[in-house]
Amino acid sequence: MRRLLTTLAILGAAAPVVLFALQDENGAPAATTHTAHAAGDAPRAVLPPGGSVVLARQSRELAVALAVRPGSPLRLTATVIDGQGGGVNGLDVELIAGKATSGVSKSARSCGRGCYTTTLPLREPTRFAVNITGAGPVHSVAFPLPGQWAPKPGAAFLSRATRAFRALRSVLFVERLSSGLGRTLFTTWKLEAPNKLEYSIRDGAGGIVIGGKRWDRERVGAPWKESTSTVLPQPVSPWGTRVANAYVLRTTPRRVTLSWYDPGVPSWFTGTFDRATARPVELRMTATAHFMQHRYLAFDRGVRIVP
């Protein structure tokens, strides 16, 4: 029976451990701990080259990432990862870069496990796309650019956002999480300093962690079951601290949108932040069988977690 995963604790920094709440199709939860490398036995895909702007999307069960190195010509590198975490070889991959009324494309060559690359002679693109055949139905993944090319480095702003998140007293957000193969989970999360968190899955399980204790229930109205837990300092940023290829995709008077990836999992992120406070507004993550979106609702208010 297939299970869906929802992250109960956030990716750590030096030792990336994730505590998952597992819910099967009947809504029964169980608690277990895994490393962030959920598919460690699968042959790992080649990761994006440094100096490239990274973008990623879900295409059914596949995670499709695109790295674009600015310059003339553009260097495009696609990474294709299956539901077990392995890079997918033997595909026919077409890489595309375009403007509003024109574009260029070329078949990509293999550059390693799950890696496909080519160059395209186009300046100031406004959109990219990856077309994939050879993995079942045709996969066509579009990557529109929210801002002007070429993006500026974003590591300094993202470091500021990470510090700002850790300094919060509490956080309230809603998560949409899919494995790409079945049911999608909608979960409300509450994080409270120094070591409290609570989650509630819509029409499903819920859990509370306070220090070294936790309580779980199978559904709303069901009895709580107490157990022990690893102490989980909170709030911890959902994007962790291992950051590579961070670039600012768009800046407005109120918002900053960035993309980056975590090479340890690996996972790809796109996040929009408040420009003044560096607090997150929305966050999207693409990883092995783990396609996640966050919408942040409140900071330092509206959260009280009790046993």
Side-chain angles (χ1 to χ4, degrees):
M1 181 177 293
R2 184 170 62 248
R3 288 177 171 180
L4 293 176
L5 304 180
T6 182
T7 50
L8 179 56
I10 310 306
L11 297 184
V17 175
V18 182
L19 186 62
F20 289 110
L22 302 179
Q23 186 182 53
D24 65 24
E25 293 171 344
N26 295 320
T32 186
T33 302
H34 299 277
T35 65
H37 308 284
D41 294 334
R44 286 178 56 112
V46 174
L47 294 180
S52 298
V53 179
V54 291
L55 307 164
R57 290 279 183 176
Q58 171 192 1
S59 184
R60 292 182 289 275
E61 77 284 1
L62 297 181
V64 180
L66 181 66
V68 184
R69 189 180 66 196
S72 183
L74 298 170
R75 166 68 67 178
L76 278 70
T77 303
T79 303
V80 183
I81 299 176
D82 63 21
Q84 287 70 51
V88 184
N89 284 345
L91 302 177
D92 292 323
V93 176
E94 179 186 26
L95 300 180
I96 303 164
K99 297 184 178 183
T101 58
S102 63
V104 292
S105 66
K106 188 185 294 184
S107 295
R109 61 177 177 81
S110 174
C111 50
R113 171 70 63 173
C115 179
Y116 303 85
T117 189
T118 194
T119 57
L120 294 175
L122 186 72
R123 295 180 179 272
E124 299 180 356
T126 60
R127 56 187 173 86
F128 301 101
V130 178
N131 290 338
I132 301 170
T133 57
V138 175
H139 295 256
S140 184
V141 186
F143 300 96
L145 286 173
Q148 293 184 334
W149 188 263
K152 300 184 185 310
F157 185 93
L158 192 56
S159 293
R160 178 189 164 204
T162 302
R163 293 192 301 270
F165 198 96
R166 189 68 185 94
L168 292 167
R169 296 189 304 275
S170 66
V171 182
L172 174 65
F173 64 93
V174 175
E175 176 185 87
R176 179 187 186 275
L177 180 68
S178 171
S179 68
L181 292 173
R183 181 181 171 195
T184 298
L185 298 181
F186 295 88
T187 306
T188 298
W189 287 93
K190 299 177 182 179
L191 312 178
E192 185 179 1
N195 53 26
K196 299 180 180 182
L197 63 88
E198 179 178 345
Y199 76 93
S200 177
I201 299 172
R202 183 191 300 175
D203 300 323
I208 296 170
V209 177
I210 300 177
K213 291 186 177 182
R214 63 176 291 158
W215 296 262
D216 296 279
R217 63 182 180 183
E218 297 180 1
R219 62 189 178 279
V220 176
W224 292 98
K225 297 179 181 180
E226 183 177 342
S227 60
T228 59
S229 170
T230 302
V231 176
L232 304 171
Q234 296 296 336
V236 176
S237 62
W239 55 88
T241 57
R242 294 176 302 186
V243 171
N245 293 38
Y247 283 90
V248 176
L249 301 180
R250 186 186 185 196
T251 302
T252 71
R254 295 185 58 196
R255 301 283 189 259
V256 178
T257 300
L258 301 93
S259 67
W260 68 96
Y261 84 103
D262 178 342
V265 178
S267 53
W268 284 258
F269 293 87
T270 302
T272 297
F273 298 82
D274 183 275
R275 188 173 179 178
T277 64
R279 295 173 179 176
V281 178
E282 296 179 341
L283 183 70
R284 180 191 297 269
M285 187 189 81
T286 300
T288 300
H290 198 102
F291 307 110
M292 181 190 79
Q293 292 175 279
H294 283 180
R295 181 166 55 92
Y296 291 85
L297 305 179
F299 303 99
D300 290 344
R301 61 182 177 86
V303 172
R304 182 171 178 265
I305 300 174
V306 297

